[in-house]
Amino acid sequence: DRKASIGLSVLLVKNIRMAEGARIGHLNWFMGLDNLSMREYSTIGNLNWFTAIPTDKHFHAERKRDLIIGCHATITGRHYIDCQEAITIGEFTTIAGVRSTFLTHAIDFRRNKQIAAPIKIGSYCFVGTGVTILANGSVGDYSVVAAGAVVLKNDFPPHVLIGGVPARVIRENIDGL
C-alpha cells in the first residue's frame, strides 16, 4: 500500500505484502523468507533479525518460510525470529521488550535430521521480554507470556498467563487483568 513504509533495512524476501499503515523500522535484516505479510497498521520496530534458509528444490522445498503479522500487531526491537517454517502473529498482539527468540527448527537426534514446525501467537496477546518460543509452540488468544518464559508446546489455551522454564499456565481466565 502507498501508506506503508520501510526504514533503512535489508529485505531479501521473495514476496512482500504490506497493507495500509504497515511499517518496518530501521536496521532490520530479513533473509531467506518466502513471504512477509503485514496487515493494516502492523509494525516491526528497529534492529530485528528474521532469517530462513532459502527455498531450494533439493533442501526442504516443502516448508513455508512465511512471517504473517495481523493488523495492529507489533514486534518491538532487537528480537531474533527464525522463519524456517511459518510464524503467525495475531491481530493486536505485541512482541514486547528485547531479545525474544522464535525458533521454528530443531534437530531430531533419533533420525539425525533437521525438523521444522510453525509457531502461532494468537490475537490480543502480549509476549514479554526475553521469551523463547520453540518449534510447534503456540499461544491462545488473549494470553500473556511472562518475561523469560520458554514455550515448548502447542496447547496453551486462550485467556491464560504463561510463564516459567519450561512454560506452564500460571493463571487461567485472565480477563480483566
Side-chain angles (χ1 to χ4, degrees):
D1 187 270
R2 292 179 201 203
K3 294 181 181 175
S5 66
I6 300 173
L8 180 61
S9 293
V10 175
L11 285 91
L12 303 172
V13 179
K14 287 184 182 178
N15 300 300
I16 300 172
R17 178 163 282 170
M18 295 174 71
E20 179 181 353
R23 187 179 72 78
I24 297 174
H26 297 298
L27 303 176
N28 290 289
W29 177 265
F30 292 82
M31 183 181 73
L33 279 72
D34 291 330
N35 296 293
L36 170 61
S37 176
M38 296 179 69
R39 300 281 313 271
E40 295 82 2
Y41 303 100
S42 57
T43 303
I44 295 175
N46 301 323
L47 293 164
N48 293 292
W49 193 269
F50 303 88
T51 63
I53 297 171
T55 302
D56 180 292
K57 64 182 177 180
H58 303 293
F59 187 74
H60 304 300
E62 72 285 353
R63 293 188 180 164
K64 294 182 180 176
R65 295 161 180 83
D66 301 341
L67 177 60
I68 301 151
I69 304 172
C71 63
H72 294 274
T74 299
I75 299 172
T76 59
R78 293 176 281 173
H79 300 290
Y80 174 72
I81 302 193
D82 159 60
C83 296
Q84 197 57 39
E85 257 297 347
I87 295 178
T88 304
I89 298 170
E91 61 185 31
F92 294 93
T93 288
T94 299
I95 311 301
V98 296
R99 296 182 332 273
S100 287
T101 304
F102 291 22
L103 295 173
T104 59
H105 75 281
I107 300 296
D108 180 342
F109 290 106
R110 290 188 180 129
R111 297 185 311 175
N112 194 29
K113 182 178 178 182
Q114 184 190 78
I115 56 172
I119 291 173
K120 184 176 187 308
I121 309 300
S123 296
Y124 298 90
C125 292
F126 180 86
V127 178
T129 192
V131 168
T132 300
I133 301 179
L134 299 179
N136 217 22
S138 70
V139 175
D141 296 341
Y142 300 95
S143 293
V144 174
V145 182
V150 177
V151 177
L152 302 173
K153 60 183 184 174
N154 67 353
D155 60 353
F156 286 111
H159 300 278
V160 295
L161 172 61
I162 301 163
V165 180
R168 61 183 174 78
V169 173
I170 294 173
R171 184 172 171 190
E172 296 178 357
N173 301 319
I174 62 168
D175 293 340
L177 250 186

